[in-house]
Amino acid sequence: MKKLLFALANVLLVNISVHSQEPVKPGQPGFDVLRDSIAHGKIDTITYKSKTVDTLRRTLIYTPPGYSKKNKYPVLYLLHGIGGDEKEWLNGGKPQVILDNLYAQGKIEPMIVVMPNGRAMKNDRATGNIMAPDKVQAFATFEKDLLNDLIPFIEKKYPVLADREHRAIAGLSMGGGQSLNFGLGNLDKFAWIGGFSSAPNTKTPQELVPDAAIAREKIKLLFISCGASDPLISFSKRTHDYLQQNNVPHIYFIEPGVHDFKVWKNGLYMFAQLIFKPVDPSTFSKYPVAGAPAATNIRNGAYPQIFSDNRVMFSTKAPDAKKVQVDLGKKYDMVKDTGGIWTVTTDSISEGFHYYSLLIDGLAVADPASQTFYGMGRMASGIEIPFAGGGYYALRDVPHGDIRIKKYFSRVTNSWRQMNIYTPPGYEEKQNEKYPVLYILHGGGEDQSGWATQGKIDLILDNLIAAGKAKPMLIVMPDANIGGGGFNAAGIESSLKLFQREMKESIIPFVEKNYRSLNNASNRALAGLSLGGLHTLYTGINNTEMFSYLGVFSSGWIVPMMNDISDEQYSFMKNNTDKVNNSLKVFWISEGGKDDIAWKNGQVMVGKLDEIKIKYTYNEYPGGHTWPVWRNNLYNFAQVLFQ
């Protein structure tokens, strides 16, 4: 009975310990300074026989203070970078000092740390051209040396616990990539995995974690850290983004810094405190992200940087400017330093895609540090704020379709025009197969590139098709900027009429002549966002013999400016209710919640549709008049098409 009570008490203490955890904080000044007044571990150099390399190889071994062969210890395998060897951690990172200090504070479990040479070749010194192909390949070869030679040697020579729950692997730079590759690739061997500033040798996330369910079950801790200004941060971030989208628990810690030992020592300091003991995954999201570069930055661009709370730091150099602002819907004043660098940190920004501009002495310009997109009637910068629910438009290891840029001659405008066309996976190979077609339209101030770039239409459909949630289809993205009447009732009506002709006389005939399309109403859909939604209403309702599916995103006849146009259409629908209802298999209307500038107009419109008994499906997704909303609209609309 006493044993039972003791066991229950231990379980209770463990649970209390886990659920009372706080995130491990970065090292404070002095965490890596030698203290004479505490007990110290010991570092030895030993050699082991490598059958993989067919030679004797060296490794460093750290044994903790009070080490005794009568006890059994867990093991951390700690790997170096491409320019180092088994002594790199010892010379640059002082791991024995960091660990001794942590032991003295009672913050880590006693463990053996193995620091091998991760360059598995006979001449494994970091000399000559360290980037030579054979030397780079040797880092991959080390996986075999580690698993088949080094680990068995350690477990034979030292009193270690030889199961996966007591085996960890971590490393810096090239060693960080090795740790992620070897650890995640051998979850039967490692339960604790850490990558510090992982290098380009890191496998793609889809290769690292092909089965998220298995990863969630087996990984005790996955720790990814990097310096915010490290040029290699993209490799850590892409892994983090994929893990987040697939709900694989992990710590993503980004601190101010570059590619150096300041960051790597902190990685070891934090990782060592978490391994070989109960961990609370609910704390993982609390680790700070100190300004990770946005995914929309130009290659190697350090700014804009996104913080964990979605605040954004912008930076630009304009030494002669008198005033610089960031216009992100709200204008933020930037502050200039003595070197002419202007910076500002914004409020928390909502998730997803946003246009922005720099205002330099009042002139709106694109940020040279960011990718640009055609929006707001001009080229503007764009920033993608990470979205935990954005897995449906993530780049995944699935078959991919193509987006093609096609030029065609319009007899309506008597000019050459351009459209984008998505062809589904397998379009080229399946020469005898014909496909239904979705014609989808952009909003005001945008063009045919909007859905292809800001909308991520190809990734959304690739993922839906791979999951069996959407039919393979062609998607045509035309340029709806046609006519020049201006934004007034007469001008818009003129443009609506002209684009209707363009669809019927130019776009659809071109597509059906040049692509393997199914050319009947039941295999045609028309959709659009904002101004494109008005085009969809006008062209779609007036031509239900051509389209069986209509999608109207963040739109609705503008009251009272368009009352004459809308009244005429409502009258037509009232007099042809059965025809409209029987012709349209899906009439989809969606808004971005009450923050959507089209919401009120949309509510007036659906009220009128109810009044005249027109059937429709209404969907509301919060987010306002923005691309995150429209991506979600497409994701849901595509799943009901052509069923």
Side-chain angles (χ1 to χ4, degrees):
M1 185 66 180
K2 288 183 178 179
K3 289 183 178 180
L4 178 60
L5 290 173
F6 181 75
L8 289 172
N10 276 342
V11 170
L12 182 62
L13 285 171
V14 167
N15 286 335
I16 291 171
S17 173
V18 169
H19 293 291
S20 63
Q21 280 183 0
E22 290 296 325
V24 171
K25 294 181 179 179
Q28 297 301 303
F31 80 95
D32 56 350
V33 174
L34 180 67
R35 301 175 190 172
D36 292 329
S37 59
I38 63 173
H40 298 289
K42 182 180 179 183
I43 286 201
D44 291 311
T45 299
I46 62 170
T47 59
Y48 66 97
K49 174 63 178 177
S50 169
K51 295 180 181 178
T52 301
V53 184
D54 190 26
T55 190
L56 291 174
R57 308 199 68 225
R58 286 181 290 187
T59 185
L60 267 60
I61 304 285
Y62 168 85
T63 49
Y67 170 76
S68 169
K69 291 186 178 181
K70 295 179 180 179
N71 300 325
K72 284 187 175 288
Y73 299 88
V75 185
L76 164 61
Y77 293 85
L78 189 61
L79 311 182
H80 60 82
I82 194 169
D85 55 25
E86 71 276 4
K87 293 184 178 179
E88 183 175 24
W89 270 102
L90 180 66
N91 295 332
K94 302 179 182 177
Q96 76 283 15
V97 174
I98 294 171
L99 296 175
D100 286 349
N101 292 342
L102 286 171
Y103 281 122
Q105 298 172 65
K107 291 185 175 182
I108 62 174
E109 297 296 308
M111 68 184 81
I112 290 173
V113 181
V114 181
M115 290 167 275
N117 187 318
R119 190 182 295 100
M121 58 192 304
K122 288 190 176 180
N123 180 8
D124 58 10
R125 297 301 94 189
T127 56
N129 179 12
I130 60 172
M131 300 296 294
D134 61 331
K135 293 186 178 180
V136 172
Q137 176 57 41
F139 279 87
T141 304
F142 180 66
E143 179 176 10
K144 184 178 178 182
D145 180 63
L146 173 68
L147 298 178
N148 297 339
D149 300 315
L150 180 55
I151 290 177
F153 172 82
I154 295 297
E155 293 179 352
K156 182 178 180 180
K157 184 175 178 63
Y158 289 86
V160 301
L161 295 159
D163 56 90
R164 62 178 296 278
E165 285 79 10
H166 293 93
R167 195 180 294 124
I169 186 168
L172 66 88
S173 193
M174 197 77 162
Q178 286 178 305
S179 297
L180 296 179
N181 295 345
F182 304 166
L184 292 169
N186 296 279
L187 290 176
D188 59 327
K189 298 288 194 298
F190 301 98
W192 314 84
I193 303 160
F196 316 146
S197 306
S198 300
N201 64 318
T202 308
K203 292 180 179 178
T204 65
Q206 294 82 359
E207 292 177 283
L208 290 174
V209 184
D211 190 321
I214 291 176
R216 286 192 291 268
E217 176 189 349
K218 290 197 169 186
I219 296 171
K220 294 285 188 182
L221 174 68
L222 177 52
F223 182 96
I224 297 171
S225 68
C226 197
S229 300
D230 189 330
L232 301 184
I233 193 172
S234 60
F235 300 101
S236 295
K237 188 176 186 305
R238 74 177 185 185
T239 304
H240 159 67
D241 289 344
Y242 178 84
L243 295 169
Q244 186 178 53
Q245 289 155 6
N246 287 277
N247 299 314
V248 177
H250 65 289
I251 291 172
Y252 184 58
F253 171 66
I254 305 298
E255 62 176 303
V258 292
H259 199 72
D260 64 12
F261 262 108
K262 174 184 175 294
V263 172
W264 305 330
K265 287 193 287 187
N266 231 348
L268 174 61
Y269 174 83
M270 297 170 73
F271 184 69
Q273 294 180 66
L274 292 162
I275 58 178
F276 309 132
K277 61 175 70 172
V279 290
D280 181 4
S282 70
T283 67
F284 290 0
S285 63
K286 298 178 182 179
Y287 283 81
V289 176
T296 36
N297 290 6
I298 60 170
R299 189 181 300 275
N300 297 328
Y303 294 91
Q305 292 185 354
I306 303 172
F307 295 93
S308 58
D309 58 1
N310 287 353
R311 291 178 303 124
V312 182
M313 177 183 283
F314 291 90
S315 178
T316 194
K317 186 171 184 177
D320 298 326
K322 300 295 186 287
K323 183 177 183 179
V324 181
Q325 296 174 298
V326 172
D327 186 353
L328 197 60
K330 174 182 176 180
K331 293 184 177 68
Y332 295 90
D333 293 329
M334 303 182 79
V335 177
K336 183 169 69 170
D337 68 11
T338 55
I341 304 295
W342 297 78
T343 58
V344 69
T345 299
T346 69
D347 304 323
S348 183
I349 305 301
S350 61
E351 298 166 323
F353 179 88
H354 301 271
Y355 294 115
Y356 77 95
S357 300
L358 297 179
L359 300 177
I360 299 182
D361 290 335
L363 178 65
V365 298
D367 184 352
S370 179
Q371 296 179 36
T372 54
F373 306 84
Y374 184 74
M376 304 186 292
R378 61 180 174 81
M379 294 305 294
S381 300
I383 186 168
E384 188 83 35
I385 306 296
F387 175 35
Y392 64 89
Y393 56 76
L395 180 60
R396 297 181 180 277
D397 187 15
V398 299
H400 293 287
D402 296 320
I403 290 184
R404 309 176 184 210
I405 299 174
K406 300 300 294 184
K407 292 177 172 59
Y408 69 98
F409 189 81
S410 166
R411 297 297 178 188
V412 175
T413 64
N414 199 33
S415 65
W416 285 96
R417 308 196 78 230
Q418 190 165 288
M419 67 176 75
N420 286 358
I421 298 181
Y422 168 82
T423 54
Y427 179 80
E428 291 298 336
E429 292 78 12
K430 300 173 182 177
Q431 289 293 317
N432 295 323
E433 188 166 340
K434 293 186 176 183
Y435 298 87
V437 186
L438 165 61
Y439 295 86
I440 194 163
L441 311 176
H442 57 82
E446 297 170 337
D447 63 11
Q448 72 281 357
S449 65
W451 276 106
T453 51
Q454 294 94 300
K456 297 184 180 290
I457 199 166
D458 56 331
L459 297 179
I460 293 172
L461 266 294
D462 289 344
N463 293 336
L464 284 173
I465 292 169
K469 293 182 178 180
K471 290 286 185 69
M473 66 185 78
L474 297 166
I475 302 181
V476 179
M477 296 159 267
D479 182 359
N481 294 307
I482 194 166
F487 200 79
N488 55 69
I492 288 178
E493 184 170 19
S494 173
S495 294
L496 292 171
K497 289 179 177 178
L498 196 59
F499 185 72
Q500 179 180 230
R501 285 188 58 203
E502 180 74 352
M503 280 291 296
K504 295 170 70 174
E505 298 176 30
S506 299
I507 294 169
I508 293 176
F510 175 84
V511 170
E512 295 185 351
K513 179 181 178 181
N514 293 280
Y515 290 85
R516 300 194 310 278
S517 59
L518 293 165
N519 304 334
N520 52 47
S522 62
N523 287 290
R524 284 195 208 103
L526 179 64
L529 67 91
S530 195
L531 182 57
L534 299 181
H535 282 300
T536 299
L537 287 167
Y538 193 89
T539 299
I541 295 297
N542 291 335
N543 297 277
T544 54
E545 75 282 357
M546 297 184 69
F547 303 99
S548 291
Y549 303 86
L550 299 181
V552 179
F553 309 158
S554 290
S555 195
W557 296 115
I558 301 173
V559 179
M561 186 175 75
M562 296 182 176
N563 283 359
D564 290 346
I565 303 172
S566 61
D567 287 347
E568 183 179 345
Q569 186 165 92
Y570 295 140
S571 177
F572 169 80
M573 288 191 285
K574 183 176 181 179
N575 294 329
N576 296 273
T577 302
D578 290 341
K579 177 187 175 185
V580 173
N581 285 336
N582 292 333
S583 297
L584 293 180
K585 295 182 180 179
V586 175
F587 185 11
W588 177 284
I589 299 171
S590 59
E591 301 289 349
K594 292 184 179 180
D595 292 331
D596 193 328
I597 58 174
W599 187 82
K600 289 183 179 179
N601 293 324
Q603 301 313 300
V604 171
M605 182 175 67
V606 297
K608 289 285 189 180
L609 295 177
D610 288 335
E611 184 181 314
I612 58 180
K613 295 182 170 53
I614 294 295
K615 298 176 183 177
Y616 63 91
T617 299
Y618 183 76
N619 179 272
E620 201 164 289
Y621 181 81
H625 206 71
T626 62
W627 273 107
V629 171
W630 305 325
R631 290 172 182 172
N632 185 269
N633 295 161
L634 172 66
Y635 171 75
N636 288 294
F637 182 61
Q639 295 183 60
V640 302
L641 294 180
F642 315 123
Q643 300 297 328

